[in-house]
Amino acid sequence: MIKGTNKYNKLAESLQGIYTLETFADRLKIDRIKAIYIIHRLRKLGFVRTSYGAKKKRIYDISLRNKQKGISYTERINEASQNPAIQVASFNPYYIHGRIPSYEEALIYAIKQKDVRYLIASLALFRKISDWSLLYKLAKKEDLVREIAALYEIARKVVKKVRKMPKRFLHLAQKRNGNQFHYIVNHLSSDNFKDIEKRWKVYIPLNQADLEEYSR
């Protein structure tokens, strides 16, 4: 077994390329368990970016440049879900350099994608939200306060260990509750969450069937 950070740095240099787990194991002539371990070590050093191909198959991009790219919002979203069936694949990720983007920022980013897959994955972010003041500030700037409140209610129904929304955030969200309904994704609304839609005047593009992976 390879040991030592320096050896992994050299290994990353020699292995630059795109792999599946199978092709990676074949390249090194090792079994699946060792391949998973080495990919894990390379990822911790920042050399591996993971995306998803057909049928959610993991694709590993190993490159020395990855260590300089920073962290993408999509990676933060996927960190929160930890379920490959829920995670999202981005073919044009937006990277943040010099710092780790907050989960609060990642939640706003996910909603702004106006994409059902991002919204499903974003529900897991509510487990990670700790700075509700920051979240409110970001949501207010993007006019997404009601959307946050509505998605939070759904997250409480389907995601385990979601913390309670502070009363202040709830109060401020209610004050912004106007008469006009908002779409999160244009022309899509829910068959199952009508009560939440009416409460926040937000059309929710998710149904209970879309969220089944959270119960597995």
Side-chain angles (χ1 to χ4, degrees):
M1 185 64 68
I2 302 170
K3 296 181 180 180
T5 297
N6 289 337
K7 289 184 178 180
Y8 278 104
N9 289 337
K10 292 180 181 178
L11 184 62
E13 185 174 359
S14 68
L15 288 174
Q16 293 186 89
I18 307 295
Y19 301 90
T20 64
L21 180 61
E22 291 76 18
T23 59
F24 184 80
D26 185 62
R27 170 71 183 274
L28 291 179
K29 307 300 180 187
I30 56 178
D31 61 30
R32 181 185 178 89
I33 293 175
K34 287 184 179 179
I36 291 171
Y37 176 79
I38 292 174
I39 289 172
H40 169 72
R41 290 296 302 269
L42 292 174
R43 182 187 288 112
K44 287 189 70 173
L45 292 172
F47 296 118
V48 179
R49 299 288 178 190
T50 304
S51 59
Y52 295 85
K55 298 182 180 180
K56 303 294 285 185
K57 191 176 188 67
R58 295 193 181 205
I59 307 295
Y60 303 103
D61 173 12
I62 300 176
S63 172
L64 302 183
R65 291 175 299 176
N66 286 337
K67 200 164 185 176
Q68 303 169 353
K69 277 189 176 180
I71 298 176
S72 72
Y73 287 121
T74 303
E75 286 176 296
R76 289 295 270 169
I77 294 166
N78 289 339
E79 274 180 27
S81 68
Q82 297 182 338
N83 182 341
I86 294 170
Q87 291 175 343
V88 288
S90 175
F91 298 101
N92 187 28
Y94 186 88
Y95 287 99
I96 304 298
H97 300 272
R99 66 182 182 87
I100 298 174
S102 68
Y103 290 117
E104 291 79 9
E105 291 173 289
L107 179 56
I108 297 296
Y109 175 84
I111 297 171
K112 287 177 65 179
Q113 299 315 294
K114 296 184 178 297
D115 181 279
V116 170
R117 289 299 309 171
Y118 268 91
L119 291 174
I120 292 170
S122 76
L123 298 180
L125 285 165
F126 283 102
R127 282 189 301 212
K128 302 291 187 177
I129 298 300
S130 59
D131 192 338
W132 288 92
S133 294
L134 173 61
L135 181 59
Y136 180 80
K137 179 181 178 181
L138 296 171
K140 182 180 178 181
K141 180 179 178 181
E142 301 292 344
D143 194 22
L144 293 174
V145 175
R146 284 190 279 161
E147 286 81 348
I148 293 288
L151 291 171
Y152 164 80
E153 286 202 33
I154 295 173
R156 288 278 287 181
K157 290 177 179 289
V158 301
V159 183
K160 297 176 181 178
K161 298 181 180 179
V162 172
R163 302 169 185 174
K164 275 193 174 183
M165 176 183 283
K167 290 182 180 179
R168 176 172 171 76
F169 191 107
L170 184 62
H171 175 68
L172 291 171
Q174 288 170 337
K175 286 178 66 176
R176 301 184 67 84
N177 209 355
N179 294 319
Q180 187 175 0
F181 273 73
H182 287 186
Y183 280 102
I184 300 178
V185 178
N186 288 342
H187 312 302
L188 292 182
S189 62
S190 177
D191 295 327
N192 303 126
F193 302 113
K194 291 297 184 186
D195 56 332
I196 298 176
E197 286 188 336
K198 289 177 181 177
R199 183 156 43 253
W200 295 107
K201 295 183 172 61
V202 171
Y203 291 116
I204 297 165
L206 304 174
N207 290 313
Q208 195 70 49
D210 298 320
L211 308 175
E212 288 181 352
E213 289 294 340
Y214 278 107
S215 62
R216 295 178 183 176

